Amino acid sequence: MTLVQRWLAAARGAGATAGEDALVAVGEGLLARWREPQRHYHTVDHLTAMLSIVDAEGGTDAVRLATWFHDAIYDPHSPGEANERDSAALARAELGALGVPESVAVEVERLVLLTAGHAAAPGDIDGELLCDADLAVLARPPAEYDDYAAAVRREYAHVPDELFRAGRSAVLRSLLDLPALYRRPALAARWEAPARANLERELRALA
């Protein structure tokens, strides 16, 4: 199944009523965003990896749609949580135009906003899965994690080293300060320890 076909399945599953051409156009537009030249980590590979986790974990179509939209707008020059807010607004607008029920569009918007801090509330099954999938890269083997960290640095090539180290260190500390990086028990059992080891190792390297 191609990525566009996966997009169509999620949109239809969520209740989209628009015609095939309109749905395909939005899916292709999203893929074009994920292929923008400023991206080195937040690419189609990241999207595909997340979708695979969501599928493997039996995620809902709302989570699938939130995966598509969560980094749809990604500008490394944007401050704070602007990318997440803009991506959430894009999701609400695009899904509404495609005839997705308002309740689903609102839920997708909420889920996208959660990826700013990855602090899903206990019992928020959809939020937990989306955040766990988004942070899965942190638990990769050290060499793969280092490739991820290097790709993030390339996305912020415009930031001087000293400022980048300070900003990146703050992000790493905020992740380490979470009570748990992963909320789904099966994923936490596999990923929590290696992810924390990777984060701590990068933090030491940035010091």
Side-chain angles (χ1 to χ4, degrees), residues 40-73:
H40 297 278
Y41 168 68
H42 295 86
T43 65
V44 170
D45 287 344
H46 174 53
L47 169 64
T48 303
M50 283 187 64
L51 287 172
S52 295
I53 293 168
V54 170
D55 287 345
E57 293 294 311
T60 64
D61 287 311
V63 178
R64 290 184 181 88
L65 292 177
T67 300
W68 276 90
F69 279 103
H70 83 287
D71 282 325
I73 294 178

Side-chain angles (χ1 to χ4, degrees), residues 12 28 36 44 49 52 62 64 70 73 77 79 84 95 113 122 141 177:
R12 289 292 191 211
E28 290 179 341
E36 291 165 342
V44 170
S52 295
R64 290 184 181 88
H70 83 287
I73 294 178
H77 293 83
E84 289 85 0
L95 294 176
L113 289 171
D177 286 343

Side-chain angles (χ1 to χ4, degrees), residues 86-135:
D86 291 346
S87 294
L90 178 69
R92 181 78 176 272
E94 294 276 31
L95 294 176
L98 293 176
V100 172
E102 179 75 3
S103 60
V104 178
V106 169
E107 171 66 357
V108 173
E109 179 185 35
R110 181 189 75 82
L111 290 169
V112 172
L113 289 171
L114 273 182
T115 63
H118 301 95
D124 180 2
I125 296 173
D126 284 355
E128 289 176 353
L129 178 54
L130 181 66
C131 291
D132 283 3
D134 197 23
L135 296 181

Side-chain angles (χ1 to χ4, degrees), residues 148-159:
Y148 144 74
V152 170
R153 182 65 182 104
R154 288 196 297 276
E155 290 180 342
Y156 288 88
H158 59 282
V159 179

